[in-house]
Amino acid sequence: MNKLLPIQKWQIVQWSTLIIATVFALILLAEGMNEESFRLLIRFTARSSCILFLLAFIASAWQKLKPSQVSKWLLQNRRYLGLSMAISHGLHAVAIAGVAVLTSENMVRDNFGANLGYVFILLMTITSFKRPAAILGRRSWKILHTVGMYYLWLSFTVAFAEKLGESWLFYTPWVVMLISALILRLILLIKKTEKPIVT
Ligand code: HEM
């Protein structure tokens, strides 16, 4: 049991869902059901998803490069952070549907890149469970989760970078966090390749 962070495994999914869903409901209560409030919810859920995603994305590199109680907790609970991100992005889709219903603006059509993001989120969520993972097999599982993870990294980074023009002060930290997370993983990759070949 990691003494530093008492909540583990499904408790993470429960607590993150409870917090994100409560804020979601409070925004609708405070702002009413209209296009602006749903757009606000799209942004809120994109940000909560990004934080959960980043924690799962940096876990293994942090634990290998500079192990600590926190990095150990992140690695032990990476699956549950990923599932929490999937639920948060499920609410991103609900907010998108809210705008579509109120404005008949179909943001899904011709949005191949964003749709593919949801395909990866869905496949990675399903294969986070034992049976589907066993059916897929270890090698394909690794390929799906590696390609999927980097594709989601790219989706978040592009979506936030596109908003720099709107407010660079607000969006620069998000882009910097995402790029720093990638650099952390690349450092580990380089260290792995540097390992002397034992002849
Ligand atoms: C069908 C799929 C998707 C649609 C239609 C969609 C739609 C949108 C829209 C309309 C916004 C702008 C909201 C606004 O500022 O008014 C937005 C923001 C965003 N979306 Fe999505 N999205 C989709 C999938 C995704 C995926 C898969 C990711 C990442 C993995 C993602 C990450 C983001 C991010 C990071 C923002 C910026 C949030 C902010 O301004 O703080 N979206 N999305």
Side-chain angles (χ1 to χ4, degrees), residues 39 42-43 46-47 85 89 92 96 107-108 111 114-115 117-118 121 152 155-156 159-160 163 166 170-171:
R39 283 191 180 282
I42 291 177
R43 295 192 290 276
R47 296 161 191 175
M85 179 266 176
H89 233 58
H92 191 67
I96 292 161
M107 292 183 272
V108 175
N111 205 337
N115 291 330
Y118 271 108
I121 292 171
L152 292 176
S155 304
F156 280 116
F160 279 125
K163 295 260 177 146
E166 224 177 84
F170 179 83
Y171 287 107

Side-chain angles (χ1 to χ4, degrees), residues 158-175:
V158 170
F160 279 125
E162 278 170 353
K163 295 260 177 146
L164 284 170
E166 224 177 84
S167 162
W168 66 267
L169 195 59
F170 179 83
Y171 287 107
T172 302
W174 290 93
V175 176

Side-chain angles (χ1 to χ4, degrees), residues 21-36:
T22 304
V23 175
F24 195 101
L26 286 177
I27 289 174
L28 282 181
L29 273 179
E31 305 288 329
M33 286 231 190
N34 51 62
E35 183 188 348
E36 239 353 271

Side-chain angles (χ1 to χ4, degrees), residues 119-148:
V119 171
F120 273 121
I121 292 171
L122 199 61
L123 293 177
M124 291 163 82
T125 303
I126 294 168
T127 53
S128 292
F129 296 89
K130 274 211 184 73
R131 241 181 105 48
I135 295 167
L136 188 62
R138 183 135 192 77
R139 192 164 171 283
S140 310
W141 188 95
K142 192 116 185 82
I143 294 169
L144 169 66
H145 282 254
T146 307
V147 174

